[in-house]
Each structure stands twice: as structure tokens, then as C-alpha cells.
Amino acid sequence: MREVQRIFRTYYGTAYAGYAEKIPELLRRQPELGFRVLLIDAENHRGDVLGFALAFHFPRLRATVLDFLVVDPDVRQRGVGGALYESLREYLARIESRGLYLEVRPDDPELEPDAAVRRENRARIRFYERFGARVIAGTTYEAKRPGRAEGEPYLMFDPLGAERRPSAEEVRGVMRTILFGKYEYPPDDEYALSIVESVREDPVALQPPRASAAQPPAPVPPTAPRQVLHPIKVLVPEQHTLHHVRERGYVERPVRVERIIQAIGGHPGVAIAEVKEFGEGPITAVHDPDFVDYLSRVCPKLPPEEAIYPYVFPIRYPERKPVDEEVQAGYYCIDTFTPLMRNAYIAARAAVDAALSGAELIEGGERLVYAVCRPPGHHAERRVYGGFCYFNNAAIAAHRLTKRGRVALLDIDFHHGNGTQDIFWRRSDVFTASIHGDPSYAYPYFAGFADEIGEGEGEGFNLNVPLPEDVEDDAYLAELTSVLGRIAEYVPKTLVLSLGLDIAKGDPTGAWRITPDGFERIGQAVGALGLPTLVVQEGGYDSRVLGRNARRFITGLQQGIRAADG
């Protein structure tokens, strides 16, 4: 708080005299004030405060007013203001605020005679416009007061990502709050009342962005928060929605990806990256070409919405492959609940492309990359699919990354990654480690026991840590710490992490009770290895908490690698 007050005084000097002293009082008096006081600060890796945002949320209006956003004038790091504003917007989305209001000085010559000041004001307006905020039009809010040479501030409205204009009632309520609350005009002040009464259009009109068509508004630089949180590139395969099993009880649905992206899209340091196409070559380098050919040949033949579920499994005579393609599903599958559908192959190929695009970014020097793959992949073995998985996204990416040197592949999904283990069973260039529910009670039931350590060249390079039911944060973190120690001893060049959010409390497919705090601690521990890390999405099926847990994990990962960098 002392640092916040120091920055405020340094920035404003004698203006707003005494306001810095009011900030802690506002926080203390929230219960009697009737609104929430939000204070977000930005810090560097040493804990130095770089800036802060102060805002007031009014539950009755379901709206928020930004009071101050201030960056220390002595700070030379760029992107701090953007990171603060993004963090505030993210928090407001979590508390379901319907809009953010803020004041900015005008850039109209009639309202601001000084050209240099106008340029500064316009730059500030454009800063907020890049996030979707617009100046409210058609009111007298910014009109000159009698005896003043310049106009009052514009009032801007940020819909926080929604496509909406504010209602007249909402804007009048915000204006009353600012005029009678912040500026303390008397309740019967004619000037203040005239401003509120000038809001007539419903919904309220908004001014177009300041930039012309020839010069569109600049997007928020994807690396703007680089100095505040370590940046992370995120990859999302567009084709994931094509594979949608609509049968009751099938939990691997497109909404999983939607929830994750909604939660992390505005998170500081997160930037969406392009997914490239890599063809079948990287897939057949890991999977049996005959198996890949079967999926690519059979799926396009299926009618829309038709699903083929395996029901015959020729395990006693594997050399006698059935002739009928539909019956062959059991020849290439390990369970009865992973269907083939028309778009399954297309979606699986796109998920692989996302993971490979992530590997390419790591090769190009990125430290943190998150491939939000769907369908998942870690149950897909060299020549079979199952467990909602068709191709092993993480294994394919890890295989590519071995060109850089040793790779560690850590699987923290609730279910053992039998496919990953099978693919690298006889290899020493990829150390595979998995923390999962004991296969004596958890899928896939036949793999993931502690005595499975690899064979031949791969002996000793496969580590399984099966755990009992009802595992909580502390017990999990203790096991994770031990596994990360083994990975550090291997001295890998890169880490690939199969991220299963199904270890969360309440997940319909898991039995553990990992909390959001636990996910952040897991991220911190993984990031503390200091390795270039490619995160590949696996399971996680409780759509109510998926986004929150993914965001907390990413936050921890960024914090961990920042700490590792010193």
C-alpha cells in the first residue's frame, strides 16, 4: 500500500491532494460504502510495485468504474498499463460485471485548445479503444462548465468483450455515482443534474473508434505484458468442433475448449498463435502407418452423426485382421466407448497440428506454449486408439523435439497415458513420467503400474506413480516434487506436459480433489524447472471449473518460470 501511495504521489504531484491517503480507508470501509473497491497491482520478479489499477464495482448496477490506472513514472518496462487493464477486465468478467466505465481527457479542439495535450489525450483514448472501449456519445458529460476554457472528461464504456451498448438507465446510474459520489456535487446541483438528464437515447450511442479505415486500431501487442508475467503462446485447432459426439453421457465435448479459452484469453501474457498444417508424415513417424491409413480411410465414409463403436476385439488372433471395416474398429481400439465418426480423423489431425505448431514455437525460442488439443491423445498407442484419443498429440510433438536433444514428457492426467508409455517404451531419448490413479481401479486398468519401467534401451526411462483414490493438494504436490526431481536428474532440453484437468475435485471421470489453489501450485512447481515447456491438453470434463483451473495452472506456470529465471 505504501508503494501504491508513493506511485500515486509521484505521478500526480499536488493534484488530487490527499487522495493517496484515502485508498486504504476505502478498502477498509467497503462494507459500509455499499460497493466493492478493487485494487490490482503489477509487480516484477523482485516484488517491486510497478503500477496499480483502482476501480469500484457497484453490484446494483452490475457495472464498474475505473478510478485510476497509474504506472510508476520511473518504470521503463513497457506493457505494464496494458497488463493491469487486462487483469482488471479478466477479474470483472469473473464477478460478472456487465461493463467498465472510465474517464479520459478530450481530444476535441473545442474542448482542449492545447494541440500537444490533445495528442496525448488521443493516444490514451486509442489505448482503451484497443480493448473495445468507446466514448459515450450524445450527452453533455464532456461539455464545458461555465467559466472553463477546456471541456470535462469523456466518459468511455468497455463492454468487456460483449456485443452491447449500455442502457440509458445504466449510464445515468454511473453518472450519478461519479458526479455525486466521486466529485461530491450536492444532490440538487443543477449542473450535475443536467448531465444526468442529457442521457436520452436508449441504448446509449457510442462514438466510432478514433482510427480511420485507412489506419485501423492497433491490436493489443501480444507480448505487451512480457515484463510483468512471462508470455505464453496458446494454440487452438479450429476443427475441434467438427468432432462432436452428441450421445448422452459422452463427456469429451467441444465446450471443454471453449471454457478454457474464455478463461485464459484475456489473461496477462497470453497470446493466441497460429496453428499450421504438417501433413501425415509426423503422425506416421510415431503411429503405425496401417493404423493411420485405417482412420483416414474409414472416417470420411461414415454418414453424418453416425458413430461406429467397437464390439469385437480379435486379441487372441491379432494376425487375422477382420475383413469388414466396421468390425476392424475393434482391431484398432482398446475400449467400447471411443467411436469413429465422419470428422474424427479431421479433428484428430488438427489436434496434432496444434501440438506440432507448439513444438515449432519452442524450437523458435518460446519458453511457454499451450496447445489446447481436442480430441486428447495420451491413450493412443502406436497402433491403437481409445480413451477419447485417436492420435497421441504429446508424443508426436515430443518426438519432433528430440531433434533438439533429450525430452521429458510428464503426464499429470488422472488416467495413465498408456499410449505415451507404449510409444517410448524402448527409447531413452524421451523420459516419460506419469502421476495417475492406480490402474487397479482407474482406466485404462491394464497399464500404469509402478513396475513398468521400460525395456531394452528404454529401461529405466519410464516412471509410473499410481496413487490411491481421494488424493488432495498436499499429497499430490509431494509426489509431484519427487517426480520433478527425477526429471531434473535426466537433464532434458525440453519438457512436454500432458495436462489433465480431470484431477480436479468433482470431475466426473476422476476421484481426486485438487483445488484451484492446487493447480496454481502444480504450475509453479513445473515452471520452476526453468525448461522450455510445451503444455498439451488432455482430459478434464467438468465444464463448470475447467476454465478457472486452467487459468490458475497457467498463472502458476508463469510464476514458476519467472522464479526460475531469477
Side-chain angles (χ1 to χ4, degrees), residues 14 29 78 86 117 125 137-138 163 178 190 292 318 331 371 387 398 409 421 423 454 457 474 496 507 536:
T14 58
R29 294 180 57 212
R78 299 185 61 186
E86 286 178 333
V117 174
I125 292 168
E163 291 289 335
I178 296 174
E190 292 183 1
V292 176
Y331 184 80
L409 200 163
Q421 175 174 293
I423 289 167
E457 185 181 325
D474 290 342
V496 176
D507 190 276
V536 178

mmCIF file of all heavy atoms in Angstrom, residues 14 29 78 86 117 125 137-138 163 178 190 292 318 331 371 387 398 409 421 423 454 457 474 496 507 536:
data_model
loop_
_atom_site.group_PDB
_atom_site.id
_atom_site.type_symbol
_atom_site.label_atom_id
_atom_site.label_comp_id
_atom_site.label_asym_id
_atom_site.label_seq_id
_atom_site.Cartn_x
_atom_site.Cartn_y
_atom_site.Cartn_z
ATOM 1 N N THR A 14 0.935 17.392 -6.769
ATOM 2 C CA THR A 14 -0.009 18.019 -5.832
ATOM 3 C C THR A 14 -1.465 17.882 -6.266
ATOM 4 O O THR A 14 -2.374 18.231 -5.515
ATOM 5 C CB THR A 14 0.324 19.514 -5.680
ATOM 6 O OG1 THR A 14 0.265 20.143 -6.969
ATOM 7 C CG2 THR A 14 1.705 19.703 -5.074
ATOM 8 N N ARG A 29 -13.412 0.466 4.426
ATOM 9 C CA ARG A 29 -14.816 0.857 4.617
ATOM 10 C C ARG A 29 -15.773 0.199 3.625
ATOM 11 O O ARG A 29 -16.942 0.596 3.539
ATOM 12 C CB ARG A 29 -14.937 2.378 4.512
ATOM 13 C CG ARG A 29 -14.236 3.141 5.639
ATOM 14 C CD ARG A 29 -14.424 4.638 5.424
ATOM 15 N NE ARG A 29 -15.833 5.000 5.346
ATOM 16 C CZ ARG A 29 -16.313 5.997 4.599
ATOM 17 N NH1 ARG A 29 -15.482 6.721 3.856
ATOM 18 N NH2 ARG A 29 -17.603 6.270 4.589
ATOM 19 N N ARG A 78 7.769 -1.714 -20.674
ATOM 20 C CA ARG A 78 6.561 -1.463 -21.458
ATOM 21 C C ARG A 78 5.531 -2.548 -21.183
ATOM 22 O O ARG A 78 5.854 -3.662 -20.844
ATOM 23 C CB ARG A 78 6.909 -1.439 -22.942
ATOM 24 C CG ARG A 78 7.905 -0.354 -23.321
ATOM 25 C CD ARG A 78 8.116 -0.317 -24.813
ATOM 26 N NE ARG A 78 6.865 -0.020 -25.499
ATOM 27 C CZ ARG A 78 6.735 -0.034 -26.829
ATOM 28 N NH1 ARG A 78 7.762 -0.339 -27.591
ATOM 29 N NH2 ARG A 78 5.577 0.246 -27.391
ATOM 30 N N GLU A 86 -5.823 -5.454 -18.637
ATOM 31 C CA GLU A 86 -6.285 -6.800 -18.975
ATOM 32 C C GLU A 86 -6.656 -7.587 -17.725
ATOM 33 O O GLU A 86 -7.663 -8.307 -17.704
ATOM 34 C CB GLU A 86 -5.193 -7.550 -19.745
ATOM 35 C CG GLU A 86 -5.025 -7.081 -21.181
ATOM 36 C CD GLU A 86 -3.907 -7.823 -21.879
ATOM 37 O OE1 GLU A 86 -2.971 -8.287 -21.204
ATOM 38 O OE2 GLU A 86 -3.971 -7.934 -23.106
ATOM 39 N N VAL A 117 -1.442 18.540 -25.808
ATOM 40 C CA VAL A 117 -2.267 17.809 -24.838
ATOM 41 C C VAL A 117 -3.295 16.956 -25.566
ATOM 42 O O VAL A 117 -3.578 15.825 -25.162
ATOM 43 C CB VAL A 117 -2.951 18.789 -23.865
ATOM 44 C CG1 VAL A 117 -3.920 18.055 -22.951
ATOM 45 C CG2 VAL A 117 -1.910 19.536 -23.041
ATOM 46 N N ILE A 125 -6.964 7.586 -25.400
ATOM 47 C CA ILE A 125 -8.262 7.076 -25.861
ATOM 48 C C ILE A 125 -8.056 5.840 -26.736
ATOM 49 O O ILE A 125 -8.745 4.827 -26.597
ATOM 50 C CB ILE A 125 -9.031 8.164 -26.625
ATOM 51 C CG1 ILE A 125 -9.439 9.282 -25.666
ATOM 52 C CG2 ILE A 125 -10.261 7.584 -27.313
ATOM 53 C CD1 ILE A 125 -9.954 10.528 -26.361
ATOM 54 N N ALA A 137 -21.514 8.800 -26.575
ATOM 55 C CA ALA A 137 -21.922 9.946 -27.400
ATOM 56 C C ALA A 137 -23.319 10.426 -26.994
ATOM 57 O O ALA A 137 -24.074 9.718 -26.326
ATOM 58 C CB ALA A 137 -21.915 9.554 -28.884
ATOM 59 N N GLY A 138 -23.640 11.670 -27.424
ATOM 60 C CA GLY A 138 -25.000 12.186 -27.286
ATOM 61 C C GLY A 138 -25.369 12.680 -25.912
ATOM 62 O O GLY A 138 -26.564 12.819 -25.612
ATOM 63 N N GLU A 163 -21.031 -7.894 -27.090
ATOM 64 C CA GLU A 163 -21.531 -7.028 -28.162
ATOM 65 C C GLU A 163 -22.773 -6.317 -27.645
ATOM 66 O O GLU A 163 -23.894 -6.767 -27.841
ATOM 67 C CB GLU A 163 -21.850 -7.864 -29.409
ATOM 68 C CG GLU A 163 -20.643 -8.436 -30.113
ATOM 69 C CD GLU A 163 -19.818 -7.359 -30.819
ATOM 70 O OE1 GLU A 163 -20.398 -6.314 -31.152
ATOM 71 O OE2 GLU A 163 -18.616 -7.575 -31.014
ATOM 72 N N ILE A 178 -20.525 8.868 -10.218
ATOM 73 C CA ILE A 178 -19.293 9.640 -10.390
ATOM 74 C C ILE A 178 -19.488 11.083 -9.920
ATOM 75 O O ILE A 178 -18.676 11.631 -9.153
ATOM 76 C CB ILE A 178 -18.842 9.613 -11.864
ATOM 77 C CG1 ILE A 178 -18.482 8.181 -12.285
ATOM 78 C CG2 ILE A 178 -17.644 10.537 -12.083
ATOM 79 C CD1 ILE A 178 -18.176 8.031 -13.760
ATOM 80 N N GLU A 190 -27.615 21.850 -10.117
ATOM 81 C CA GLU A 190 -28.259 21.917 -11.430
ATOM 82 C C GLU A 190 -27.339 21.427 -12.548
ATOM 83 O O GLU A 190 -27.789 20.760 -13.493
ATOM 84 C CB GLU A 190 -28.705 23.353 -11.713
ATOM 85 C CG GLU A 190 -29.832 23.833 -10.807
ATOM 86 C CD GLU A 190 -30.309 25.241 -11.172
ATOM 87 O OE1 GLU A 190 -29.752 25.819 -12.147
ATOM 88 O OE2 GLU A 190 -31.216 25.720 -10.491
ATOM 89 N N VAL A 292 -2.958 -45.549 -39.129
ATOM 90 C CA VAL A 292 -3.285 -44.203 -39.608
ATOM 91 C C VAL A 292 -4.114 -44.284 -40.876
ATOM 92 O O VAL A 292 -5.099 -43.551 -41.055
ATOM 93 C CB VAL A 292 -1.996 -43.382 -39.840
ATOM 94 C CG1 VAL A 292 -2.328 -42.011 -40.421
ATOM 95 C CG2 VAL A 292 -1.210 -43.242 -38.542
ATOM 96 N N PRO A 318 -4.338 -61.754 -33.380
ATOM 97 C CA PRO A 318 -4.139 -60.422 -33.969
ATOM 98 C C PRO A 318 -3.671 -60.454 -35.413
ATOM 99 O O PRO A 318 -3.832 -59.481 -36.143
ATOM 100 C CB PRO A 318 -3.076 -59.799 -33.053
ATOM 101 C CG PRO A 318 -2.383 -60.962 -32.418
ATOM 102 C CD PRO A 318 -3.421 -62.021 -32.275
ATOM 103 N N TYR A 331 -10.198 -54.034 -33.865
ATOM 104 C CA TYR A 331 -8.805 -54.420 -34.105
ATOM 105 C C TYR A 331 -7.864 -53.270 -33.779
ATOM 106 O O TYR A 331 -6.717 -53.488 -33.396
ATOM 107 C CB TYR A 331 -8.662 -54.839 -35.567
ATOM 108 C CG TYR A 331 -7.296 -55.362 -35.956
ATOM 109 C CD1 TYR A 331 -6.921 -56.669 -35.656
ATOM 110 C CD2 TYR A 331 -6.393 -54.564 -36.653
ATOM 111 C CE1 TYR A 331 -5.681 -57.163 -36.030
ATOM 112 C CE2 TYR A 331 -5.148 -55.032 -37.024
ATOM 113 C CZ TYR A 331 -4.796 -56.344 -36.712
ATOM 114 O OH TYR A 331 -3.558 -56.827 -37.076
ATOM 115 N N ALA A 371 -0.862 -25.929 -26.120
ATOM 116 C CA ALA A 371 -1.687 -26.433 -27.216
ATOM 117 C C ALA A 371 -2.966 -27.013 -26.625
ATOM 118 O O ALA A 371 -2.933 -28.060 -25.969
ATOM 119 C CB ALA A 371 -0.921 -27.489 -28.012
ATOM 120 N N GLY A 387 -9.961 -44.289 -25.308
ATOM 121 C CA GLY A 387 -10.000 -43.277 -24.252
ATOM 122 C C GLY A 387 -10.230 -41.876 -24.789
ATOM 123 O O GLY A 387 -9.640 -40.919 -24.285
ATOM 124 N N ALA A 398 6.672 -34.500 -28.868
ATOM 125 C CA ALA A 398 7.910 -34.858 -28.176
ATOM 126 C C ALA A 398 8.908 -35.498 -29.132
ATOM 127 O O ALA A 398 10.116 -35.229 -29.062
ATOM 128 C CB ALA A 398 7.603 -35.797 -27.018
ATOM 129 N N LEU A 409 8.730 -36.071 -20.867
ATOM 130 C CA LEU A 409 7.286 -35.982 -21.095
ATOM 131 C C LEU A 409 6.586 -36.373 -19.787
ATOM 132 O O LEU A 409 6.602 -37.537 -19.396
ATOM 133 C CB LEU A 409 6.858 -36.898 -22.244
ATOM 134 C CG LEU A 409 5.512 -36.565 -22.906
ATOM 135 C CD1 LEU A 409 5.390 -37.258 -24.260
ATOM 136 C CD2 LEU A 409 4.328 -36.908 -22.032
ATOM 137 N N GLN A 421 3.354 -44.197 -22.979
ATOM 138 C CA GLN A 421 4.274 -45.233 -22.481
ATOM 139 C C GLN A 421 4.602 -46.231 -23.581
ATOM 140 O O GLN A 421 5.767 -46.613 -23.765
ATOM 141 C CB GLN A 421 3.635 -45.953 -21.292
ATOM 142 C CG GLN A 421 4.451 -47.133 -20.776
ATOM 143 C CD GLN A 421 3.875 -47.728 -19.513
ATOM 144 O OE1 GLN A 421 3.878 -47.097 -18.462
ATOM 145 N NE2 GLN A 421 3.354 -48.953 -19.602
ATOM 146 N N ILE A 423 4.566 -45.857 -26.853
ATOM 147 C CA ILE A 423 5.344 -45.270 -27.955
ATOM 148 C C ILE A 423 6.814 -45.133 -27.585
ATOM 149 O O ILE A 423 7.707 -45.361 -28.411
ATOM 150 C CB ILE A 423 4.722 -43.918 -28.353
ATOM 151 C CG1 ILE A 423 3.385 -44.156 -29.070
ATOM 152 C CG2 ILE A 423 5.682 -43.093 -29.219
ATOM 153 C CD1 ILE A 423 2.537 -42.920 -29.245
ATOM 154 N N GLY A 454 10.040 -49.620 -18.659
ATOM 155 C CA GLY A 454 10.626 -49.604 -19.993
ATOM 156 C C GLY A 454 11.423 -50.868 -20.262
ATOM 157 O O GLY A 454 11.708 -51.658 -19.351
ATOM 158 N N GLU A 457 16.678 -50.429 -24.584
ATOM 159 C CA GLU A 457 17.304 -49.109 -24.445
ATOM 160 C C GLU A 457 16.489 -48.194 -23.540
ATOM 161 O O GLU A 457 17.019 -47.289 -22.900
ATOM 162 C CB GLU A 457 17.477 -48.472 -25.821
ATOM 163 C CG GLU A 457 18.220 -47.148 -25.800
ATOM 164 C CD GLU A 457 18.355 -46.535 -27.192
ATOM 165 O OE1 GLU A 457 18.510 -47.299 -28.158
ATOM 166 O OE2 GLU A 457 18.302 -45.294 -27.293
ATOM 167 N N ASP A 474 -1.913 -31.398 -1.002
ATOM 168 C CA ASP A 474 -0.597 -31.589 -0.385
ATOM 169 C C ASP A 474 0.019 -32.931 -0.754
ATOM 170 O O ASP A 474 1.219 -33.010 -1.055
ATOM 171 C CB ASP A 474 -0.705 -31.460 1.134
ATOM 172 C CG ASP A 474 -0.981 -30.037 1.579
ATOM 173 O OD1 ASP A 474 -0.758 -29.108 0.768
ATOM 174 O OD2 ASP A 474 -1.417 -29.835 2.726
ATOM 175 N N VAL A 496 7.656 -31.629 -22.218
ATOM 176 C CA VAL A 496 6.295 -31.698 -22.758
ATOM 177 C C VAL A 496 5.400 -32.158 -21.619
ATOM 178 O O VAL A 496 5.684 -33.177 -20.976
ATOM 179 C CB VAL A 496 6.203 -32.668 -23.953
ATOM 180 C CG1 VAL A 496 4.757 -32.795 -24.423
ATOM 181 C CG2 VAL A 496 7.090 -32.188 -25.101
ATOM 182 N N ASP A 507 -14.500 -33.817 -10.784
ATOM 183 C CA ASP A 507 -14.510 -34.227 -12.188
ATOM 184 C C ASP A 507 -15.252 -35.557 -12.324
ATOM 185 O O ASP A 507 -15.035 -36.477 -11.521
ATOM 186 C CB ASP A 507 -13.084 -34.366 -12.719
ATOM 187 C CG ASP A 507 -13.058 -34.547 -14.225
ATOM 188 O OD1 ASP A 507 -13.221 -35.699 -14.696
ATOM 189 O OD2 ASP A 507 -12.899 -33.543 -14.935
ATOM 190 N N VAL A 536 0.301 -29.704 -23.411
ATOM 191 C CA VAL A 536 -0.651 -30.293 -24.354
ATOM 192 C C VAL A 536 -1.887 -30.738 -23.572
ATOM 193 O O VAL A 536 -1.774 -31.504 -22.611
ATOM 194 C CB VAL A 536 -0.026 -31.497 -25.089
ATOM 195 C CG1 VAL A 536 -1.040 -32.132 -26.039
ATOM 196 C CG2 VAL A 536 1.219 -31.068 -25.853
#
